[in-house]
Amino acid sequence: MVETLTFLVDPLPVGAAADSFDEAVREVETGAGALAVNDFAPHRGDGVFETLAVIDGHVQEVGPHLARLANSARICELPEPNADQWRAVIAAAAARLPAQGEYALKIALSRGLDPGPKPTAWVYVVPGADFTAARERGIRVITLDRGIDRGAGERAPWLLLGAKTLSYAANMAAIREAKRRSADDALFVTSDGFVLEGPTSSVIVRIGDRFVTPPPAAGILHGTTQRSLFAHLEATGRTGEYRDVTVDELRSADAAWLVSSVRLAAPITALDDVPMPVDEDATRDFNAYLLSPRD
Amino acid sequence: MVETLTFLVDPLPVGAAADSFDEAVREVETGAGALAVNDFAPHRGDGVFETLAVIDGHVQEVGPHLARLANSARICELPEPNADQWRAVIAAAAARLPAQGEYALKIALSRGLDPGPKPTAWVYVVPGADFTAARERGIRVITLDRGIDRGAGERAPWLLLGAKTLSYAANMAAIREAKRRSADDALFVTSDGFVLEGPTSSVIVRIGDRFVTPPPAAGILHGTTQRSLFAHLEATGRTGEYRDVTVDELRSADAAWLVSSVRLAAPITALDDVPMPVDEDATRDFNAYLLSPRD
């Protein structure tokens, strides 16, 4: 039974020959020393990552995750990831997993050793937690002020709000704050009353027959699971829409979900301790879709 | 000639016997694999750190740095650092350095291996860069919007603004943005026009005969070098004052410095490309004091 896997990856430049991919990967024991303390990942949280779901042997949404990794790298001025190499590395890691079960497969690209010049990278695979309760019975969520206003993301690109960086200490603190308040998760909101995203998820809100999510320009990550669900909505005759959502709109919405690659669609059952309506049909439909093989 | 040093530290609980300190430290080759990829430091930027100056064999301000490390750990809900152990580790590392020259000694405490439960820690020592030009001829600085308003630090403690965490990707991006604009460093300001801090420094502003700095409650780190300089000001009959400083006040100030543990006091010669007056006497006095042994 595979429990965890760790691979160190030498990230090759775009265009490197495919026959060099194999020797650029090295499996190491999980938990063993692998990264130098002056690697910019532990040194400064200075790198980017993606977490992909592996469901019954199929890695979900490899293309969208690699596209977002490339976008994060661009925002952080890291070298463009070699998508072919990453596809090969991801496939090799996934081939080591059982044909059944859910896994979280993280890929990370760091700025590398201080003072450089070469990035480092790794893959880390762990069994997914059992998220059945979150998917079926939902989650209690608190709103947390993200400090910024609606315009900060566009105004201040150096804040890296649109990049999925390794600097997640505040995201982790927000989840601890939620647990302290007897909730399951948090939802960041702006200081001027707009909905942003969860610390490790996107939010989708149903208002009447429309499914809406805040635009990425609002200073959030463009969610791969949210995008996948919007494609599913379109394919099934429904509508997904990007637009600003106020916290007041969310409080009076017909349903809302936090969606993410591994937990999938978790309906919000209470927001700041006030019960929210749950759309059980849409929740079942979303999770059935998200559990099916997707590319 | 010592170039770099790396020690892995097993962080002991408060009260651990001093005779266990030695075996809790292990020197490793700098640049070699030391931290697991699922250590929360590279995994999530989830840890805290301090960078101390070692000047001609003397480690500066050990007590204030350990006090701030403890404060950062408290904000991040990490176990209280064992100050006695850290003093011993720092002294042992410093004893390996030449009697002359400047070094940067970083100590870091991570939440440890996911899923826990034990923190990891390390020490990383590198020669200081030559900051003579910054100290004597000054630095060109640009203001950068930090996205938050003046009240965010107090309103949203989960943002960890008062903790020196390993999540420094945006701080590094701000410095890159400054270099892109042909400046040497950045100064974060709030969306509502207040001065905060540099990405790796505090700011001190002279207005008439008063030296002022923004209060830590504004959502910034309490600077160890700024505190040391304020003590020096008091000891020499001058006044240091904590109060909000608007960007407009800074632009018309009589002098300003970015101060930090290793670069020390760097006078700001231009702010957003507009020349600023430089107080050469105070600059010399500040750096002479900061270069002298301090505890």
Side-chain angles (χ1 to χ4, degrees), chain A residues 33-55:
Chain A
L35 302 170
V37 303
N38 56 324
D39 184 293
F40 274 107
H43 194 41
R44 300 293 190 194
D46 195 0
V48 297
F49 77 102
E50 287 293 322
T51 302
L52 299 82
V54 187
I55 299 179

Side-chain angles (χ1 to χ4, degrees), chain A:
Chain A
M1 181 61 184
V2 171
E3 280 303 315
T4 61
L5 294 171
T6 301
F7 301 90
L8 297 185
V9 179
D10 180 11
L12 300 172
V14 172
D19 60 12
S20 61
F21 291 173
D22 275 355
E23 63 195 36
V25 182
R26 179 164 62 92
E27 183 169 3
V28 298
E29 185 189 350
T30 295
L35 302 170
V37 303
N38 56 324
D39 184 293
F40 274 107
H43 194 41
R44 300 293 190 194
D46 195 0
V48 297
F49 77 102
E50 287 293 322
T51 302
L52 299 82
V54 187
I55 299 179
D56 297 342
H58 186 272
V59 189
Q60 304 282 58
E61 303 275 354
V62 174
H65 279 290
L66 290 181
R68 190 168 65 181
L69 186 77
N71 188 52
S72 296
R74 185 186 54 74
I75 293 171
C76 294
E77 300 176 84
L78 290 163
E80 183 183 347
N82 182 324
D84 293 335
Q85 182 191 15
W86 278 112
R87 284 183 180 277
V89 168
I90 291 167
R96 295 280 305 283
L97 297 175
Q100 301 293 317
E102 297 182 31
Y103 287 81
L105 187 157
K106 174 177 177 169
I107 59 176
L109 175 65
S110 153
R111 201 173 301 276
L113 284 192
D114 182 10
K118 200 164 181 338
T120 51
W122 65 91
V123 176
Y124 174 56
V125 189
V126 287
D130 181 355
F131 288 120
T132 308
R135 294 171 191 164
E136 295 183 357
R137 295 204 297 277
I139 53 175
R140 299 174 63 84
V141 172
I142 58 166
T143 56
L144 288 181
D145 187 335
R146 182 71 184 72
I148 58 172
D149 60 274
R150 166 63 179 83
E154 284 152 313
R155 206 170 63 226
W158 42 85
L159 300 178
L160 309 177
L161 297 175
K164 194 170 177 77
T165 77
L166 296 169
S167 286
Y168 254 42
N171 303 55
M172 299 295 103
I175 293 172
R176 287 197 302 275
E177 179 69 17
K179 308 271 187 201
R180 183 169 21 249
R181 298 193 201 168
S182 304
D184 301 298
D185 208 343
L187 177 60
F188 284 127
V189 300
T190 67
S191 54
D192 48 352
F194 291 97
V195 172
L196 289 170
E197 63 189 347
T200 63
S201 60
S202 311
V203 61
I204 295 177
V205 182
R206 181 167 79 75
I207 300 173
D209 61 355
R210 302 186 82 82
F211 295 85
V212 301
T213 200
I220 61 176
L221 291 184
H222 197 170
T224 53
T225 307
Q226 169 265 309
R227 289 179 70 173
S228 183
L229 278 171
F230 270 29
H232 171 64
L233 287 169
E234 298 291 335
T236 53
R238 292 169 287 181
T239 303
E241 184 183 354
Y242 292 95
R243 71 162 171 86
D244 286 333
V245 178
T246 67
V247 178
D248 286 345
E249 281 180 301
L250 173 62
R251 293 197 196 287
S252 62
D254 296 298
W257 298 263
L258 292 187
V259 306
S260 49
S261 296
V262 177
R263 192 175 61 185
L264 306 182
I268 300 176
T269 59
L271 189 69
D272 296 328
D273 283 331
V274 178
M276 275 202 73
V278 172
D279 183 336
E280 295 195 355
D281 289 345
T283 300
R284 268 192 299 272
D285 170 64
F286 284 0
N287 281 315
Y289 166 72
L290 293 172
L291 284 163
S292 69
R294 290 173 289 130
D295 289 307

Side-chain angles (χ1 to χ4, degrees), chain B:
Chain B
M1 182 62 185
V2 172
E3 279 304 312
T4 61
L5 294 171
T6 301
F7 301 90
L8 297 184
V9 179
D10 180 12
L12 301 172
V14 173
D19 61 12
S20 60
F21 291 173
D22 275 357
E23 63 194 36
V25 182
R26 179 164 62 92
E27 184 169 1
V28 298
E29 186 190 348
T30 295
L35 302 171
V37 303
N38 56 323
D39 184 296
F40 273 107
H43 194 40
R44 299 293 190 196
D46 195 0
V48 297
F49 77 103
E50 288 293 321
T51 302
L52 300 82
V54 187
I55 299 179
D56 297 343
H58 186 272
V59 190
Q60 304 282 58
E61 303 275 353
V62 174
H65 279 291
L66 290 180
R68 191 168 65 180
L69 186 76
N71 189 53
S72 295
R74 185 186 55 73
I75 293 171
C76 293
E77 301 176 85
L78 289 163
E80 183 183 347
N82 182 324
D84 292 335
Q85 182 191 14
W86 278 112
R87 284 183 180 277
V89 167
I90 291 167
R96 295 280 304 283
L97 296 176
Q100 301 293 318
E102 296 183 33
Y103 286 81
L105 187 157
K106 173 177 176 169
I107 60 175
L109 175 65
S110 153
R111 201 174 301 277
L113 284 191
D114 182 11
K118 199 164 183 338
T120 51
W122 67 90
V123 176
Y124 174 56
V125 189
V126 287
D130 181 355
F131 288 119
T132 308
R135 293 170 191 164
E136 296 184 357
R137 295 204 297 277
I139 54 174
R140 299 174 63 84
V141 172
I142 58 166
T143 56
L144 288 181
D145 187 335
R146 181 69 184 76
I148 59 172
D149 60 274
R150 166 62 179 84
E154 285 152 313
R155 206 170 63 226
W158 42 85
L159 300 178
L160 309 178
L161 297 175
K164 194 171 176 76
T165 78
L166 296 169
S167 286
Y168 254 42
N171 303 56
M172 299 296 103
I175 293 171
R176 286 197 302 275
E177 179 70 16
K179 309 271 188 200
R180 183 169 21 248
R181 297 194 202 170
S182 304
D184 301 298
D185 207 343
L187 176 61
F188 285 128
V189 300
T190 68
S191 54
D192 48 352
F194 292 97
V195 172
L196 289 170
E197 61 190 346
T200 62
S201 61
S202 311
V203 61
I204 294 178
V205 182
R206 180 166 78 76
I207 300 174
D209 61 354
R210 303 187 81 82
F211 294 86
V212 301
T213 200
I220 61 176
L221 291 185
H222 197 169
T224 54
T225 307
Q226 169 265 309
R227 288 179 71 173
S228 183
L229 277 171
F230 270 28
H232 171 65
L233 288 169
E234 297 291 335
T236 52
R238 292 169 288 181
T239 303
E241 184 183 354
Y242 292 96
R243 71 162 171 84
D244 286 333
V245 178
T246 67
V247 178
D248 286 345
E249 280 181 301
L250 172 62
R251 293 198 195 285
S252 62
D254 296 298
W257 297 263
L258 292 187
V259 305
S260 50
S261 296
V262 177
R263 192 174 61 185
L264 307 181
I268 301 177
T269 59
L271 190 68
D272 296 327
D273 283 329
V274 177
M276 276 203 72
V278 171
D279 183 337
E280 296 194 355
D281 289 344
T283 300
R284 269 192 299 273
D285 170 64
F286 284 1
N287 281 315
Y289 166 72
L290 293 171
L291 284 163
S292 69
R294 290 174 289 130
D295 289 308

